[in-house]
Amino acid sequence: MSIIYVLIPLAVIIVGIAVAVFFWAVRSKQFDDLDRQGYSILFDDDLPPEEKKLADERKRLHDRD
Amino acid sequence: MTGNVCFHCHLPLPDAEHFYAQVLGQRQAFCCPGCQAVAEAIVQNGLEDYYRFRTEAAPQAKSAALIPDELTLFDDAELQQDFVQQDDETCETTLTIEGISCAACGWLIERQLAKIAGIRQVAVNVAQRRALIRWQSDQTKLSTILSRLRHIGYNGFPFQPDKHEASYQNEQQGFMKKLGLAGIMTMQVMMLMAAHYFDWLGEMSSFMQQYFNWIALLLTTPVVIYSGAGFYASAYRALRAGSVNMDVPITIAVFLTYGSGFAATWQQSGQVYFESICMFIFLLLLSRFIEHKSRYQAMQISANMLKYIPMSALIVKDGATHPALARKLLPGDTIIVKAGELIPVDGVVCQGSSKVDEAMLTGEPTAVTKVPGDKVHGGTLNRSQVLTIEVQASLAHSLISQIIHLQQQAVANRPTAAKLADQLASYFVLAVLLIASLTYAYWYVMGNPQALWITIAVLVATCPCALGLATPTALTSAVAWLNRQGVLIKRTDVLETIEKVSTVAFDKTGTLTQGDFSIHAQWYANEADKAAVLAIAGAIEAHSEHPLAAVFARYRQGSVLLSLPHDVTIQAGLGISACYNRQHYKIGSPAFMLAQDTEDTSCPVLPSLPFTANVMLACNGKLIAAWQISDSIKAGVDSVLARLTQQHKTKTTAILSGDSQYNVDLVARQLNIQHPIAALTPAAKLDYVMQLQARGEIVMMLGDGINDAPVLSQADVAVAVGSGTDIAKASADIIFLNDSLHALPGLFTVSARTRQIIRQNFAWALGYNVCILPLAVSGILHPWMAVVGMSLSSIIVVINSTRLIRFTA
């Protein structure tokens, strides 16, 4: 049974990580809209070339910020 | 979904003509050119997937509320200061978007806007019906974004967020974090404590038990410190103000349990109830979270409705006209207001004459003629001709702003029922504290070592958790049900007040009636002549300026008259006499028919009619036709009022209108309304309701105009109808999202049902507390049993409340 003395602190650490992840998710507003993102997977994400260009541009600007 | 409904909006297709477009490889039918154009735009932009994955139909694509030209007004830098945050080259704003019906709309909007060069970020929140947009101000403009949205059938508007919205959002996030932490920790601690409780074989060594206690203490500490912080702060505030609230016993119970658990762990002897603390805090937070969430949602929806539409004006400068924003106008400026436009600010007419509709301000539907030298008010509608106006007051000092001021004052004076509930709660809490301390004193004197735990069991058992859930869960369920019926509740506590309403007061124009006149009943001496008689009436009434005369205008066209009426004499306010085709005609009020005429002395004998005629036509002294012309009552209003008076016989009904007594009486008779009160200014309406309230009446007011805003703010329950003005909606507690009053009877029944459910919840929660109290006081109940009992009691209350969601009126 002595393995419990190792496993329980390990569980506590994992719980700590889970709480930290949850707090981060709340802060980054992931719980604000529970409907929208669930649908993203249904849609094609192949963009036509001109849109791809705009999206890349946007990504570049985001990275710069 | 093909066949007889529109592919885009799923409304039935009109029989006459259909519109077609190629969508998803098939020819689809549409109900109107709007839907067709939107579908074509969606297909052209390669966004057909929207139709494949949407779960709800789109709203019908009506013609745009703003013409594209006016959209450019949103590009004005000064106007943008109010709702756009600018940072170097990037602008950021949140728009409310009309027409979002399901998650696929969010995708559609994001993809559509992402095509515009210069867009940095688009994030659509489907639940809030809002989109956050960031863009490069040097590459694109807000008006471009708005018109792109319009192409695919959505109307985006800047809006005026509620003052408290930001703080509500922070609180909401705080609640979520606290609740999440408490939930996760409760699970962990429960797991550890289960080992204690179910150690029937006694296999756990005392060292292991201590070890478990320490771990549980470690996990409980953040819950007590972080998740419960709100309760302690509220208890502290109450105590400092010299009163007690529900949070006081909660705080005491948490601190006592945690403190003694800590001591027991430290001294390695005694009992610990860490799992009880965690669960206790978790459940309490849950009830507060539910309550907060429903209030936050209502606030968001109502903020979305306060669209930010800039009022524009044509300003005359150096002989040329320029478009300008109304808020930039200064006294002394000269502006031009075209027919059909709103007059932006108070001023004096300096050129032109026109009819001005002041119904928004006065409730009087009859347009007033304005000639040079007359004063006109901001917010009124110019009906017929171009007016040149010299500005007298800036927007902030115009009449419309003064009415808003009156409304704000009324808000401050509003009677509150909430205080009584607080008072009751504090007595309850005092009783709990008293019983708990007496229990402790008794067991301490008796020398029972368990005295502290018995006291904690008393505090937990009597904890107002289920009591606290009783009202918010019932109200939230009722609000969810009402939302589905197209009713928006801004303050949930009004649901409790609705039941007690003794007088239901209506505004007339816009609420009960449509505000335009039409023929309601007619009588002809010879029914076969109907068309000819109407044509003659139309020809003669063409000379009149009277509002009732306008009804006949439509019969003038298309009819063939031999000649035009001549020798027309008008008696203001009574009627017209004229000669036509060598006959002498008189048309006007019944009084005019009976009046002695100079030309012929005969006066017609009035026949007994099945209705009250207010316009009559006589030919050579013989009555040939009679009409009842009145403001047309909105479709369905009569059946709604019939249901209302039948179901709630004790409620008094009244009309509070700015219109003339005659018109108000007419509507009141048709709808069977007891007290028609006419010719009221906004301030007089307010006075009337205050008088009723002084007599102890609970008043519900339904209105739509700017003139109703003050009285809406004063009424105990204020309802604005969907077509109403923003200021009326801002003053109301309840908003009917559609134009009709259909939801009114349902509102009363659901509020009665809600009250019933709340009573059941209270009866259960109090009954449980009273039954459990002797057990707790006598020391039979352990704290953990108290917590389990409390949880079960809470769950029963929640389940009972959710019955309201499935309620059928």
PDB file of all heavy atoms in Angstrom, chain B residues 579-595:
ATOM      1  N   CYS B 579     -71.030  71.020 -54.054  1.00  0.00           N
ATOM      2  CA  CYS B 579     -71.960  70.640 -55.103  1.00  0.00           C
ATOM      3  C   CYS B 579     -71.228  69.751 -56.088  1.00  0.00           C
ATOM      4  O   CYS B 579     -70.079  70.012 -56.455  1.00  0.00           O
ATOM      5  CB  CYS B 579     -72.466  71.881 -55.827  1.00  0.00           C
ATOM      6  SG  CYS B 579     -73.646  72.778 -54.831  1.00  0.00           S
ATOM      7  N   TYR B 580     -71.917  68.700 -56.496  1.00  0.00           N
ATOM      8  CA  TYR B 580     -71.316  67.809 -57.465  1.00  0.00           C
ATOM      9  C   TYR B 580     -72.439  67.269 -58.331  1.00  0.00           C
ATOM     10  O   TYR B 580     -73.440  66.744 -57.818  1.00  0.00           O
ATOM     11  CB  TYR B 580     -70.582  66.675 -56.746  1.00  0.00           C
ATOM     12  CG  TYR B 580     -70.196  65.550 -57.655  1.00  0.00           C
ATOM     13  CD1 TYR B 580     -69.158  65.722 -58.569  1.00  0.00           C
ATOM     14  CD2 TYR B 580     -70.897  64.356 -57.640  1.00  0.00           C
ATOM     15  CE1 TYR B 580     -68.828  64.710 -59.425  1.00  0.00           C
ATOM     16  CE2 TYR B 580     -70.572  63.335 -58.496  1.00  0.00           C
ATOM     17  CZ  TYR B 580     -69.528  63.514 -59.399  1.00  0.00           C
ATOM     18  OH  TYR B 580     -69.206  62.496 -60.262  1.00  0.00           O
ATOM     19  N   ASN B 581     -72.248  67.407 -59.638  1.00  0.00           N
ATOM     20  CA  ASN B 581     -73.227  66.888 -60.576  1.00  0.00           C
ATOM     21  C   ASN B 581     -74.645  67.413 -60.253  1.00  0.00           C
ATOM     22  O   ASN B 581     -75.606  66.665 -60.216  1.00  0.00           O
ATOM     23  CB  ASN B 581     -73.189  65.349 -60.538  1.00  0.00           C
ATOM     24  CG  ASN B 581     -73.685  64.751 -61.836  1.00  0.00           C
ATOM     25  OD1 ASN B 581     -73.809  65.473 -62.834  1.00  0.00           O
ATOM     26  ND2 ASN B 581     -73.982  63.461 -61.827  1.00  0.00           N
ATOM     27  N   ARG B 582     -74.697  68.674 -59.940  1.00  0.00           N
ATOM     28  CA  ARG B 582     -75.934  69.402 -59.615  1.00  0.00           C
ATOM     29  C   ARG B 582     -76.660  68.878 -58.370  1.00  0.00           C
ATOM     30  O   ARG B 582     -77.827  69.095 -58.175  1.00  0.00           O
ATOM     31  CB  ARG B 582     -76.891  69.421 -60.820  1.00  0.00           C
ATOM     32  CG  ARG B 582     -76.540  70.560 -61.777  1.00  0.00           C
ATOM     33  CD  ARG B 582     -77.424  70.546 -62.987  1.00  0.00           C
ATOM     34  NE  ARG B 582     -76.663  70.250 -64.178  1.00  0.00           N
ATOM     35  CZ  ARG B 582     -77.106  69.523 -65.200  1.00  0.00           C
ATOM     36  NH1 ARG B 582     -78.301  68.988 -65.148  1.00  0.00           N
ATOM     37  NH2 ARG B 582     -76.354  69.334 -66.240  1.00  0.00           N
ATOM     38  N   GLN B 583     -75.975  68.135 -57.592  1.00  0.00           N
ATOM     39  CA  GLN B 583     -76.539  67.690 -56.309  1.00  0.00           C
ATOM     40  C   GLN B 583     -75.753  68.394 -55.201  1.00  0.00           C
ATOM     41  O   GLN B 583     -74.584  68.706 -55.368  1.00  0.00           O
ATOM     42  CB  GLN B 583     -76.358  66.173 -56.127  1.00  0.00           C
ATOM     43  CG  GLN B 583     -76.738  65.342 -57.313  1.00  0.00           C
ATOM     44  CD  GLN B 583     -78.202  64.974 -57.290  1.00  0.00           C
ATOM     45  OE1 GLN B 583     -78.909  65.282 -56.326  1.00  0.00           O
ATOM     46  NE2 GLN B 583     -78.687  64.369 -58.356  1.00  0.00           N
ATOM     47  N   HIS B 584     -76.436  68.556 -54.043  1.00  0.00           N
ATOM     48  CA  HIS B 584     -75.744  69.173 -52.911  1.00  0.00           C
ATOM     49  C   HIS B 584     -75.365  68.090 -51.891  1.00  0.00           C
ATOM     50  O   HIS B 584     -76.211  67.333 -51.421  1.00  0.00           O
ATOM     51  CB  HIS B 584     -76.646  70.220 -52.253  1.00  0.00           C
ATOM     52  CG  HIS B 584     -75.984  70.886 -51.103  1.00  0.00           C
ATOM     53  ND1 HIS B 584     -76.395  70.708 -49.818  1.00  0.00           N
ATOM     54  CD2 HIS B 584     -74.922  71.714 -51.081  1.00  0.00           C
ATOM     55  CE1 HIS B 584     -75.603  71.412 -49.022  1.00  0.00           C
ATOM     56  NE2 HIS B 584     -74.695  72.026 -49.770  1.00  0.00           N
ATOM     57  N   TYR B 585     -74.080  68.022 -51.617  1.00  0.00           N
ATOM     58  CA  TYR B 585     -73.602  66.984 -50.697  1.00  0.00           C
ATOM     59  C   TYR B 585     -73.037  67.613 -49.421  1.00  0.00           C
ATOM     60  O   TYR B 585     -72.467  68.707 -49.454  1.00  0.00           O
ATOM     61  CB  TYR B 585     -72.475  66.162 -51.342  1.00  0.00           C
ATOM     62  CG  TYR B 585     -72.950  65.237 -52.430  1.00  0.00           C
ATOM     63  CD1 TYR B 585     -72.927  65.624 -53.760  1.00  0.00           C
ATOM     64  CD2 TYR B 585     -73.409  63.962 -52.100  1.00  0.00           C
ATOM     65  CE1 TYR B 585     -73.365  64.774 -54.757  1.00  0.00           C
ATOM     66  CE2 TYR B 585     -73.849  63.106 -53.099  1.00  0.00           C
ATOM     67  CZ  TYR B 585     -73.825  63.506 -54.419  1.00  0.00           C
ATOM     68  OH  TYR B 585     -74.248  62.657 -55.389  1.00  0.00           O
ATOM     69  N   LYS B 586     -73.239  66.906 -48.351  1.00  0.00           N
ATOM     70  CA  LYS B 586     -72.617  67.298 -47.074  1.00  0.00           C
ATOM     71  C   LYS B 586     -71.921  66.068 -46.508  1.00  0.00           C
ATOM     72  O   LYS B 586     -72.507  64.982 -46.447  1.00  0.00           O
ATOM     73  CB  LYS B 586     -73.698  67.738 -46.074  1.00  0.00           C
ATOM     74  CG  LYS B 586     -74.115  69.183 -46.186  1.00  0.00           C
ATOM     75  CD  LYS B 586     -75.341  69.413 -45.341  1.00  0.00           C
ATOM     76  CE  LYS B 586     -74.963  69.494 -43.859  1.00  0.00           C
ATOM     77  NZ  LYS B 586     -76.133  69.832 -43.035  1.00  0.00           N
ATOM     78  N   ILE B 587     -70.681  66.245 -46.115  1.00  0.00           N
ATOM     79  CA  ILE B 587     -69.994  65.119 -45.468  1.00  0.00           C
ATOM     80  C   ILE B 587     -69.313  65.632 -44.207  1.00  0.00           C
ATOM     81  O   ILE B 587     -68.745  66.721 -44.195  1.00  0.00           O
ATOM     82  CB  ILE B 587     -68.988  64.437 -46.429  1.00  0.00           C
ATOM     83  CG1 ILE B 587     -68.372  63.193 -45.763  1.00  0.00           C
ATOM     84  CG2 ILE B 587     -67.894  65.393 -46.890  1.00  0.00           C
ATOM     85  CD1 ILE B 587     -67.689  62.268 -46.745  1.00  0.00           C
ATOM     86  N   GLY B 588     -69.426  64.878 -43.148  1.00  0.00           N
ATOM     87  CA  GLY B 588     -68.786  65.321 -41.910  1.00  0.00           C
ATOM     88  C   GLY B 588     -69.324  64.583 -40.703  1.00  0.00           C
ATOM     89  O   GLY B 588     -69.905  63.492 -40.832  1.00  0.00           O
ATOM     90  N   SER B 589     -69.156  65.190 -39.564  1.00  0.00           N
ATOM     91  CA  SER B 589     -69.521  64.542 -38.311  1.00  0.00           C
ATOM     92  C   SER B 589     -71.050  64.511 -38.156  1.00  0.00           C
ATOM     93  O   SER B 589     -71.750  65.291 -38.809  1.00  0.00           O
ATOM     94  CB  SER B 589     -68.913  65.311 -37.146  1.00  0.00           C
ATOM     95  OG  SER B 589     -69.504  66.579 -37.084  1.00  0.00           O
ATOM     96  N   PRO B 590     -71.595  63.635 -37.320  1.00  0.00           N
ATOM     97  CA  PRO B 590     -73.046  63.604 -37.095  1.00  0.00           C
ATOM     98  C   PRO B 590     -73.568  64.976 -36.664  1.00  0.00           C
ATOM     99  O   PRO B 590     -74.662  65.386 -37.082  1.00  0.00           O
ATOM    100  CB  PRO B 590     -73.201  62.585 -35.977  1.00  0.00           C
ATOM    101  CG  PRO B 590     -72.022  61.697 -36.106  1.00  0.00           C
ATOM    102  CD  PRO B 590     -70.906  62.560 -36.608  1.00  0.00           C
ATOM    103  N   ALA B 591     -72.795  65.708 -35.885  1.00  0.00           N
ATOM    104  CA  ALA B 591     -73.224  67.027 -35.435  1.00  0.00           C
ATOM    105  C   ALA B 591     -73.411  67.964 -36.623  1.00  0.00           C
ATOM    106  O   ALA B 591     -74.332  68.774 -36.665  1.00  0.00           O
ATOM    107  CB  ALA B 591     -72.188  67.604 -34.469  1.00  0.00           C
ATOM    108  N   PHE B 592     -72.528  67.812 -37.610  1.00  0.00           N
ATOM    109  CA  PHE B 592     -72.569  68.650 -38.807  1.00  0.00           C
ATOM    110  C   PHE B 592     -73.832  68.348 -39.624  1.00  0.00           C
ATOM    111  O   PHE B 592     -74.457  69.225 -40.214  1.00  0.00           O
ATOM    112  CB  PHE B 592     -71.294  68.379 -39.624  1.00  0.00           C
ATOM    113  CG  PHE B 592     -71.182  69.167 -40.892  1.00  0.00           C
ATOM    114  CD1 PHE B 592     -71.163  70.557 -40.853  1.00  0.00           C
ATOM    115  CD2 PHE B 592     -71.066  68.530 -42.114  1.00  0.00           C
ATOM    116  CE1 PHE B 592     -71.027  71.273 -42.025  1.00  0.00           C
ATOM    117  CE2 PHE B 592     -70.931  69.246 -43.276  1.00  0.00           C
ATOM    118  CZ  PHE B 592     -70.916  70.620 -43.237  1.00  0.00           C
ATOM    119  N   MET B 593     -74.233  67.079 -39.654  1.00  0.00           N
ATOM    120  CA  MET B 593     -75.432  66.674 -40.384  1.00  0.00           C
ATOM    121  C   MET B 593     -76.660  67.363 -39.800  1.00  0.00           C
ATOM    122  O   MET B 593     -77.562  67.782 -40.507  1.00  0.00           O
ATOM    123  CB  MET B 593     -75.636  65.150 -40.277  1.00  0.00           C
ATOM    124  CG  MET B 593     -74.600  64.328 -40.990  1.00  0.00           C
ATOM    125  SD  MET B 593     -74.615  64.583 -42.743  1.00  0.00           S
ATOM    126  CE  MET B 593     -72.932  65.028 -43.015  1.00  0.00           C
ATOM    127  N   LEU B 594     -76.692  67.426 -38.486  1.00  0.00           N
ATOM    128  CA  LEU B 594     -77.862  67.961 -37.803  1.00  0.00           C
ATOM    129  C   LEU B 594     -77.872  69.483 -37.770  1.00  0.00           C
ATOM    130  O   LEU B 594     -78.910  70.092 -37.557  1.00  0.00           O
ATOM    131  CB  LEU B 594     -77.925  67.419 -36.372  1.00  0.00           C
ATOM    132  CG  LEU B 594     -78.068  65.888 -36.286  1.00  0.00           C
ATOM    133  CD1 LEU B 594     -77.849  65.413 -34.870  1.00  0.00           C
ATOM    134  CD2 LEU B 594     -79.428  65.452 -36.809  1.00  0.00           C
ATOM    135  N   ALA B 595     -76.699  70.071 -37.991  1.00  0.00           N
ATOM    136  CA  ALA B 595     -76.609  71.528 -37.898  1.00  0.00           C
ATOM    137  C   ALA B 595     -77.434  72.183 -38.998  1.00  0.00           C
ATOM    138  O   ALA B 595     -77.558  71.653 -40.103  1.00  0.00           O
ATOM    139  CB  ALA B 595     -75.154  71.954 -37.996  1.00  0.00           C
TER     140      ALA B 595
END
